[in-house]
Structures are given as C-alpha cells and as structure tokens.
Amino acid sequence: MKQITILGSLNIDTTLKIDRFPLPGETVEAINKSSTAGGKGANQAVAAARLGAKTIFIGCVGRDSSGEYLIEALEEEGIDTANILHDEEAGTGTANILLDEAGQNSIVIYGGANRKLTSAQIQAAAGQIATSEFLVAQFETSTAMTLEAFKIAHQKGVKTILNPAPAHEIAPELLRVTDLIVPNEIESRLLTGIEITNQTSMEQTAAAFRKMGVNNLIITLGSRGVYYAGEDQSVLMPAFKVKAVDTTAAGDTFIGALAAKLNSDFSNLAEAIKFAQKASSITVQRLGAQVAIPTLAEIEEN
C-alpha cells in the first residue's frame, strides 16, 4: 500500500448557507448553519485515506474538545495521528465558510494551533516522511516547518507536493525542494501575476513557475478543467460536467486523490489527474468538506 505523509491544518468548519454574498457593509441572513471537521490538510488526508493510501498526518490542535473531535475524525478514517500534538495555549483552528446558492464559497480561517508546529515535531516524524512516497503540505501551517519537512523529504528522495493555499509569497528555498505545485487559478495569479484566460497565459504561467524553480505544475481551473505542465509536456484536461452544490473541499479532494493515485516517478500523471478530477466532481455534488469526500468504491461505481 502506498504511504503518504500530509503536513497540514485541522479546523472546525462552520458553514453559513446564504442566497448571495453580501456587499461591503451589508448584512444578509443565513439560510442554514452547520459545523463539521475540516482544514485543508485534514481534508486532503481523508481523501488520500479513503482512496487507498496509508496516510500519516503531522499537525497541531488545541487542548480542547474541538481538537479531540478532529483527531477522532481522522482516526476513524484509519489515518495515523501519532504526530498530531496539542498546544496548551492556542485554540484549535477554525474556518468560517459563506456558501451561496450556486455552490461557490468564501472562507475566512483562524490558524490557532495550526501555527504552533515545532521543529522537534517535524524531526520526530522524519522516519515516516522518509518511508513515504509523497509529502504533501499547504499554507495553513507554518511555512518554516513546511520547508524543514520538505528538506527531509528531498534528502531521502521523497517527492513533495505543495498546495500554495492560502496564496502568499513563497520562499525560493521552499520552491527548490518542491517537486509538484498545485494552485487553483486564483492562487496561481496571485503568485505569478498572470491571469489565466487562454492557452498562451497557461504556458506563460508554467514558464513563470519554472523560473521560480518548480518544473511540475498543475492548476485546477474549476469548470474549465485542469492544466498540467511538466518538463516535456503540457495538457489541458477538461472537467467532468456536474452540478456543483458545494465547492468547499473540491481542491483538497483533488490533491488527496492525486497523491493516492500518482506514481512517484509521475509516469501515470494523466491517469492520476483524471482520477482526481472524478473524485472532486463527486465531492462538489455534496454539502460539507470531509463528509463529501468519496470512497474508492464510489469512484469505481461512477
């Protein structure tokens, strides 16, 4: 069984369903409210585990009931939680999600304990990182700790996947130990300054990331599909046509599914992207984050 280590966030997601997003200064009434287990890292771990990978998680929660709930949710998926620590001061992370009738969302996160990862914690997980095929990380935790973990992976020949979300400036040193970067189109524009409108702008974006030091790029483009650019090929793969109900965990499902399916030498990349797209297309037809992520059996049935 493939082993994947995910370094990332654990949040309590509170979703407010609304008719439309409020204008600046405007108050709107929520149609419904719900709270579930979430966090980009945790969502990606659940996707990887449900789709057949042995999954190890590195993270941090508060010493509170929310933190215990999030750990239990991962353990129910068979995810190794031994590397999740409890911070005695910061509370467990939270995400507040506005979800409109079209299934689009806006999210505000509070990092809390997610920002309290330590170097000692990363070093304690070094052995498991070294025996993994992929190490995956996002930007809802400390980038300094991500860099330390990626360096360990790089030294051991373990492939690294970076999901630069929420997008912010990336240290060149981190990019040099990143094998594959997976932003969405908004994150890609924020990182490169290039708006993706056509094939030319996609190629310009790939060139910009290569200049930064990353040779393998996947951009998720929502209903337009997925663009991949590597050292010797580039391709735009169309999206599965479905009616989106909630896009909250779409990107996380894609990344977790991709890591679960992809060979470490990237030899089955097209197949892995299509598999991840199919998983994500199922997720967006359901409400919620982790509860919406499909199992391997569900993907095989569709």
Side-chain angles (χ1 to χ4, degrees):
M1 180 183 291
K2 176 184 291 183
Q3 179 173 301
I4 296 168
T5 297
I6 294 181
L7 187 160
S9 55
L10 301 107
N11 293 331
I12 294 292
D13 287 353
T14 298
T15 301
L16 298 173
K17 191 171 183 180
I18 53 178
D19 287 322
R20 59 175 178 81
F21 294 113
L23 299 171
E26 181 186 18
T27 299
V28 298
E29 185 174 356
I31 301 168
N32 191 23
K33 175 185 176 182
S34 62
S35 293
T36 60
K40 294 192 71 62
N43 295 344
Q44 292 170 16
V46 168
R50 286 185 186 171
L51 299 175
K54 177 183 178 182
T55 308
I56 295 161
F57 197 87
I58 305 171
C60 189
V61 296
R63 183 69 72 179
D64 49 38
S65 58
S66 293
E68 295 303 326
Y69 166 70
L70 292 173
I71 291 174
E72 289 171 5
L74 294 186
E75 290 176 343
E76 287 176 1
E77 302 290 341
I79 295 168
D80 185 331
T81 64
N83 294 295
I84 299 177
L85 297 188
H86 293 80
D87 188 82
E88 301 297 334
E89 298 179 0
T92 296
T94 60
N96 295 288
I97 304 164
L98 294 180
L99 175 67
D100 74 4
E101 286 294 320
Q104 297 300 312
N105 61 60
S106 291
I107 305 173
V108 178
I109 61 170
Y110 164 68
N114 289 313
R115 298 295 182 183
K116 299 296 184 177
L117 286 166
T118 66
S119 177
Q121 187 178 359
I122 301 300
Q123 293 300 323
Q128 289 175 303
I129 292 173
T131 57
S132 299
E133 292 186 54
F134 291 103
L135 172 63
V136 183
Q138 325 77 37
F139 280 167
E140 288 184 350
T141 54
S142 163
T143 53
M145 296 302 100
T146 297
L147 174 59
E148 185 166 344
F150 272 33
K151 283 182 176 179
I152 292 170
H154 189 69
Q155 291 165 0
K156 300 297 183 180
V158 175
K159 290 293 194 297
T160 55
I161 300 174
L162 180 63
N163 173 215
H168 58 68
E169 186 176 356
I170 309 176
E173 192 177 9
L174 177 57
L175 290 170
R176 284 194 291 270
V177 288
T178 297
D179 293 300
L180 172 64
I181 191 165
V182 190
N184 64 24
E185 56 189 312
I186 295 172
E187 293 151 0
S188 175
R189 176 174 56 80
L190 290 172
L191 292 168
T192 66
I194 301 169
E195 184 175 0
I196 296 175
T197 56
N198 53 29
Q199 184 69 28
T200 299
S201 58
M202 292 178 197
E203 293 170 359
Q204 291 171 340
T205 298
F209 277 108
R210 282 195 295 271
K211 189 174 181 180
M212 292 180 197
V214 185
N215 291 325
N216 295 291
L217 165 70
I218 292 176
I219 308 175
T220 55
L221 300 166
S223 61
R224 288 188 286 171
V226 171
Y227 174 73
Y228 165 71
E231 295 182 9
D232 56 3
Q233 64 173 319
S234 63
V235 62
L236 175 62
M237 299 183 66
F240 286 83
K241 301 301 181 183
V242 298
K243 180 176 174 53
V245 173
D246 183 356
T247 59
T248 300
D252 296 334
T253 300
F254 179 89
I255 291 168
L258 181 77
K261 188 70 170 179
L262 186 61
N263 294 335
S264 58
D265 61 0
F266 295 0
S267 58
N268 67 333
L269 188 64
E271 179 188 1
I273 290 175
K274 186 175 181 180
F275 177 82
Q277 285 180 293
K278 193 170 187 179
S280 185
S281 74
I282 295 172
T283 296
V284 300
Q285 295 178 73
R286 303 168 173 174
L287 287 172
Q290 290 176 23
V291 294
I293 297 169
T295 62
L296 183 58
E298 287 175 312
I299 292 178
E300 293 173 344
E301 289 171 2
N302 284 270

